[in-house]
Amino acid sequence: MTPELSSASLSPIAVRTRSRRDIIGLAAFACLLGALVVLGTICIVHAIQWIDKPFAGFLIFGYRGVGSFADLQWPAFQAGIHYRDLILSVDGRPVTSSRDILEALSRFLPGDTVAYQLLNRQGQVLDLSVPVSLFLLKDFLKIVLPVLSVSLLFWGMAVVVYALKPNTLVTWIFVIFCAVSGIYMITGFEMQAGNGSLWSYHLNMFGIAFFPALCTHLSWLFPEKSGLLRRWPIAPLFLYLVSGALLGFHVLSVAAVMQPGRSTDAYAASSSDLINSVNYIRIFALLSTLSMVGFSAYAFFCSPSVIGRRRALVVLLGFALAFLPISGGMILMTVFTKLFITQNLFAFSVVLFPVAIGYAITHHNLFDVDTYIKRTVGYVLMTGIVLGAYFVFETVVKATVLDPLLGDSSEKVYPFLFALLTVFAFNPVSRKVQQGVDKMFFRKGADFKTAVAGVSEALTSMVDVQAFIEKIIHTVRTDLFIDRAGVVVLDERTNTCRSTFRGGKFGQDTTPLEEMTDPGLSPDDPLLALLAREKKLITKYDVAEDPSYSAVRESCGQRFEELGASLALPLYYHDQFSGALTLGYKKSGHFYTREDIDLLKTLSTMTSTAIEQSREKGQKAVLMQLFSKHVSPQVAESLWEQREQFLEGGRPKSQSMVVTAMFTDLQGFSTISEKQSPEVLMNWLNIYLDMMTTTVMEHGGVVDDFFGDGVKINFGVPIPRETEQAIRQDAVNAVDCALAMEQKMIVLNGRMAAQGQQPLRMRIGIYTGPVVAGSLGSANRMKYTTIGDTVNTAARLESYDKDLVIPRLTTSPCRILIGESTLRYVESWFDVEKVGELGLKGKSERVGAYCIVGRMNELSPVHEAKA
């Protein structure tokens, strides 16, 4: 693609300006992020300040309920205090809030025993004594740090997703979902260990109350927009109303619990209402999570969209990785009653669920999903094998072999033997497991090598690039089971596209003729322009959903549909865009994997190489067509090696340069031709032109054109001369060539005299100056030439006054006239005789003309170089 064409075709998408909607969205996101940063800073600073600080031995909600952040080894829990027990008095003093409890505890030192009266969840009033404890660093690391870290991860995901895919409804719902989830987690410790105010508690409950509404709303939008939203667009409003109602009920319950002077029964009833309000919110949250899983499972099994199923798979995988550890931990604690795992540690696994959703939102292709699944399955299987082997070794080998043989020593030998077995058996078993997983999820590894080897062989033996393109299309359709594939090649010489497509569009029955229809792409096609700019693989889903492609969404999306393609790869060779490889859909209905993409990228590189090799052959053919007949083979090869300097778009580009132009003509040839038969005349003329052309080549000139018995010659093309010395050498070569032509004419005239014919005279005009050099004609019929005043002046010098009398001409068959511009370069090498200031046809100013008499020295610079 030419630079002019590329810039023109990319102009609609090259410059992106932010719309008012984008600016408002960015401002709103910045405000939200700023608020989260302030909240996070407050909560983290307060949490750090608790290290080595005396505390009751348990944490306390603002309404004086026992907190959920706990270590069962703390003395309070050993004494019988439980989560959500309501503290009624401290050291005999009634309390109504956590502020009252903290104030009462401020009079005690670590180790002092404090008497508490509390109301448990069964409505019983208990009196317990608990010593004041120190909140140690290990408590912070174990209890607080996990939720603080995970909340920051939630907010970090919100930033990443918004940055990659800003201002879409799905993005905003996900961002707010991550924001409220992070708020719920980061305020968890603050509301249980603060100064007794309720702001952190209400903010925490706001987070958990609106989490389910946002999660359910997101499940209706992603991985696919549900039919519910299409029928009732305002349905999400109902979810937020439910969340608001549950939050309101909880706030009223908290207010009732904090009322002073109430009876125990009244406190018990209010405490029950409070617990119920939290349970309702949690049930709503559980249902919302199941909604996300349910809609994802439905999309995975029933969606007609390939990418919809792919995204659903990512969400389900994230759900499994997030909640299976929690379920496993709960089961272990149930089976092994003495085992206790701090639930806060499970927060690290929970974060994998929104991570998976965010990944599916921002990545439109999801090529790596199968890789992640393969690794996960491999790790799970190997973990199961290791645990199973441990169980077998423990229950069978140890009991039946080691204990009878070694007795009490088996306890010492057993760990060593199992470790040794693991070291030697792990890698072989792991390889076997991985091979099995590969067969479950991928094509055999040999397919990749076989495909590349076959294409490589075709590339090395390639004669016709079209045959190679057919090979590429056949390979991708056969190895990847793709319904339709095509290659688009840009032809810079004709500024057109050559398209080759094979196969029918997905789900359509087509005839063989329809399968081979040319889509009629042009170099300025928007999809080709996008590929040329992005220089990377682009899918139809990128175009449909990536905000950066909004300017070309309609045009490129339509082109994807017309081509029956789901993805396209640009063909680049050394930063030169040469076309595109487009792929349809897999016949299996699955999407492309990372291994598929690696294979396609390899094949696209090989296709680019083949196209470039074909293009180079074409360019060389053009170059040889233009120059090989009129320059020496060595010069022609040198021109090819330096083609970047004067070739553009497969043809010589127009350039301004300084050359020495020469015109030759025979005087009296028309008169002689009237007396000769055509056969004799043509034979003599061919001999004459061959001798002159050979002489030109020997002196480094390029024959531009023949017109009858006349010849146009250039010295200094096609590569521009960059120094005065090089320009001088061209001028000297031109004059030296003219003198050599004179010697050839003497030989020819001698032959003609022997045949009884009149001798001929030659006129030569030489002029040095600026010209425009380039190719003229069509792509199939071009010639390299020069135009400009310098060329016209040289022609006028040759044709000036055919009867001009110069003493030297009485003994020489050749009149060589040069202009003053040439004289300045050659006067040190040749004897000249001034003819005068000539008024040449077509020129307003007179031109100084000089006749070459001969060489000043015996050898000219050219001959010296040859010697």
Side-chain angles (χ1 to χ4, degrees), residues 284-297:
F284 191 21
L286 176 61
L287 292 176
S288 69
T289 305
L290 294 178
S291 172
M292 174 64 75
V293 175
F295 277 99
S296 297

Side-chain angles (χ1 to χ4, degrees), residues 176-374:
I176 300 174
F177 167 78
C178 289
V180 300
S181 300
I183 289 172
Y184 167 70
M185 289 190 173
I186 207 167
T187 56
F189 182 78
E190 177 71 20
M191 72 173 180
Q192 300 178 44
N195 58 9
S197 63
L198 287 175
W199 69 267
S200 58
Y201 183 83
H202 291 316
L203 200 57
N204 179 273
M205 295 311 301
F206 169 83
I208 192 175
F210 279 90
F211 163 87
L214 289 161
C215 185
T216 305
H217 190 182
L218 186 61
S219 71
W220 292 351
L221 290 170
F222 192 85
E224 282 190 316
K225 190 173 183 179
S226 69
L228 179 68
L229 281 183
R230 295 189 181 95
R231 291 191 294 270
W232 297 293
I234 63 172
L237 180 61
F238 170 76
L239 300 174
Y240 298 107
L241 291 176
V242 171
S243 290
L246 292 175
L247 179 61
F249 176 49
H250 182 76
V251 171
L252 292 176
S253 301
V254 170
V257 169
M258 295 184 65
Q259 289 182 7
R262 303 182 70 194
S263 65
T264 301
D265 291 340
Y267 276 134
S270 298
S271 178
S272 178
D273 290 341
L274 179 62
I275 294 174
N276 288 335
S277 67
V278 174
N279 290 336
Y280 296 153
I281 292 175
R282 287 179 172 175
I283 291 172
F284 191 21
L286 176 61
L287 292 176
S288 69
T289 305
L290 294 178
S291 172
M292 174 64 75
V293 175
F295 277 99
S296 297
Y298 178 81
F300 178 71
F301 290 106
C302 303
S303 174
S305 169
V306 175
I307 197 66
R309 295 195 300 271
R310 199 75 166 176
R311 288 171 175 168
L313 179 61
V314 175
V315 175
L316 294 174
L317 178 63
F319 178 81
L321 294 177
F323 294 105
L324 283 180
I326 298 177
S327 303
M330 295 301 180
I331 293 173
L332 288 175
M333 286 190 291
T334 302
V335 175
F336 303 99
T337 55
K338 295 183 179 180
L339 177 64
F340 175 76
I341 303 175
T342 302
Q343 296 185 26
N344 290 3
L345 297 178
F346 290 135
F348 286 110
S349 69
V350 172
V351 77
L352 294 176
F353 187 41
V355 164
I357 298 173
Y359 175 79
I361 290 174
T362 55
H363 286 69
H364 312 108
N365 47 57
L366 304 177
F367 298 133
D368 294 312
V369 171
D370 290 292
T371 302
Y372 299 146
I373 294 175
K374 181 186 74 169

Side-chain angles (χ1 to χ4, degrees), residues 469-536:
I469 289 174
E470 295 284 357
K471 175 67 175 178
I472 288 289
I473 293 176
H474 174 76
T475 299
V476 297
R477 292 188 65 201
T478 302
D479 283 40
L480 300 182
F481 302 101
I482 298 174
D483 58 353
R484 181 173 172 84
V487 175
V488 181
V489 180
L490 298 183
D491 190 335
E492 295 179 322
R493 292 175 56 199
T494 60
N495 195 27
T496 59
C497 287
R498 186 174 74 255
S499 303
T500 304
F501 282 79
R502 298 291 181 263
K505 296 181 180 179
F506 185 75
Q508 296 182 6
D509 295 328
T510 55
T511 65
L513 181 61
E514 291 172 331
E515 290 183 356
M516 302 177 67
T517 302
D518 189 331
L521 296 177
S522 61
D524 59 351
D525 184 85
L527 179 58
L528 295 180
L530 181 62
L531 291 170
R533 186 198 68 176
E534 296 296 321
K535 298 183 179 181
K536 65 179 183 180

Side-chain angles (χ1 to χ4, degrees), residues 389-395 397-398 402-403 406 409-420:
Y390 183 84
F391 175 78
V392 171
F393 214 84
E394 172 75 20
T395 58
V397 177
K398 182 174 180 294
L402 296 181
D403 287 344
L406 303 177
S409 301
S410 65
E411 291 292 339
K412 298 179 181 179
V413 175
Y414 162 70
F416 172 76
L417 290 178
F418 184 77
L420 193 63

Side-chain angles (χ1 to χ4, degrees), residues 103-183:
E103 183 180 347
L105 289 174
S106 64
R107 300 191 302 271
F108 296 90
L109 296 175
D112 293 344
T113 301
V114 181
Y116 296 94
Q117 186 181 67
L118 54 87
L119 180 69
N120 66 16
R121 286 177 289 184
Q122 287 74 37
Q124 300 172 337
V125 177
L126 302 176
D127 293 313
L128 298 174
S129 296
V130 179
V132 176
S133 304
L134 278 178
F135 194 82
L136 303 176
L137 176 61
K138 68 175 184 178
D139 297 320
F140 176 85
L141 297 177
K142 185 177 181 181
I143 305 299
V144 184
L145 186 61
V147 291
L148 294 181
S149 302
V150 171
S151 62
L152 297 180
L153 289 175
F154 267 92
W155 294 346
M157 282 187 295
V159 173
V160 170
V161 171
Y162 188 86
L164 294 177
K165 194 174 181 181
N167 272 0
T168 66
L169 180 58
V170 172
T171 297
W172 268 114
I173 298 299
F174 180 80
V175 165
I176 300 174
F177 167 78
C178 289
V180 300
S181 300
I183 289 172

Side-chain angles (χ1 to χ4, degrees), residues 530-552:
L530 181 62
L531 291 170
R533 186 198 68 176
E534 296 296 321
K535 298 183 179 181
K536 65 179 183 180
L537 180 150
I538 295 178
T539 70
K540 62 178 294 185
Y541 310 108
D542 294 324
V543 172
E545 300 182 8
D546 194 328
S548 62
Y549 299 143
S550 58
V552 295

